[in-house]
Amino acid sequence: MSQKYPLEQLAMIKKRRLEEAERVLKEKKEALRKEQEKQKELEESRNETFKHREAKMKQLRDKLDEGTTSDKIEMMREYLKIVDEELKQKEKKVEEQIKVVKEAEEAVEMARKDMIKKQHDVEKMKTHRKEWEKEMRALEVHQEGIETDELGTSMHTSKKHKQ
């Protein structure tokens, strides 16, 4: 084929955009993984605080059953208030992190959709190029046929004149 594909630059641009979309998707997935890891750590910390609170509640109940002094009970209740406040703060952090993870998941989904769209664009360009090449080959074969016919006619005419 003697002709160059007329949409070569457009095909290259679409291919570069696809590569960029793949890179963005990979980055978004990595960011999501990090946020999920952070969420897991926050949940573990919250669960530890909850277990600590439960242990202190049991200890308080046991002391009440034993019949300890009221000032010790009051100190334990004050400490439990502090633990409860810490637990609330940790729960709030977990809830905020869940929102961050959800946003990261949405960003991954958008990046995935964008990459799929760009893959379709690249596939369309490949299909178009194959069709164009097929047409060019058919046109070339047709041109060669015409040239062969003309050459044959010329040779036939020149042989006729020589006789």
Side-chain angles (χ1 to χ4, degrees):
M1 269 190 305
S2 58
Q3 286 187 332
K4 186 179 178 223
Y5 182 56
L7 301 177
E8 184 69 35
Q9 284 184 322
L10 182 61
M12 293 301 290
I13 289 170
K14 289 192 181 282
K15 191 170 193 281
R16 268 197 308 271
R17 286 183 182 164
L18 172 61
E19 290 167 356
E20 176 68 15
E22 288 170 344
R23 186 187 59 75
V24 167
L25 177 61
K26 186 177 178 183
E27 288 174 1
K28 298 286 183 189
K29 282 183 176 180
E30 181 61 24
L32 172 61
R33 188 193 62 73
K34 286 180 181 177
E35 293 300 339
Q36 287 172 330
E37 189 65 34
K38 187 175 177 183
Q39 177 184 344
K40 186 178 175 185
E41 289 171 8
L42 287 172
E43 286 173 344
E44 287 173 2
S45 174
R46 176 203 57 196
N47 292 344
E48 275 183 34
T49 303
F50 182 76
K51 286 176 186 173
H52 177 70
R53 179 186 177 278
E54 291 299 306
K56 288 299 178 183
M57 287 291 285
K58 184 180 182 313
Q59 185 181 12
L60 174 63
R61 282 188 214 109
D62 291 345
K63 291 286 182 187
L64 284 172
D65 290 345
E66 286 176 14
T68 187
T69 60
S70 61
D71 58 329
K72 284 188 177 183
I73 291 174
E74 194 57 39
M75 282 176 46
M76 291 177 87
R77 283 186 176 159
E78 287 299 316
Y79 181 74
L80 274 173
K81 285 180 185 177
I82 293 169
V83 172
D84 283 342
E85 189 59 38
E86 185 180 341
L87 186 60
K88 285 179 189 175
Q89 289 174 354
K90 288 185 177 186
E91 185 63 39
K92 187 177 179 183
K93 285 180 182 179
V94 168
E95 289 171 7
E96 289 172 2
Q97 188 61 27
I98 288 171
K99 290 176 186 173
V100 170
V101 167
K102 194 166 203 71
E103 289 171 4
E105 287 171 345
E106 290 169 1
V108 166
E109 186 60 25
M110 286 177 58
R112 189 185 64 77
K113 286 179 180 177
D114 185 50
M115 188 199 71
I116 288 171
K117 181 184 176 294
K118 290 186 169 133
Q119 278 178 332
H120 287 300
D121 289 347
V122 167
E123 288 302 315
K124 285 179 192 175
M125 290 302 295
K126 285 179 180 178
T127 304
H128 181 270
R129 183 179 189 137
K130 286 177 184 176
E131 290 295 317
W132 178 83
E133 288 173 349
K134 193 171 156 182
E135 286 177 23
M136 289 297 108
R137 276 193 292 277
L139 191 60
E140 233 175 72
V141 167
H142 181 70
Q143 279 302 115
E144 287 174 4
I146 291 172
E147 289 171 9
T148 304
D149 287 350
E150 288 175 0
L151 191 62
T153 305
S154 297
M155 288 176 66
H156 179 69
T157 307
S158 75
K159 284 184 182 178
K160 230 179 178 181
H161 285 286
K162 286 184 181 178
Q163 291 176 343

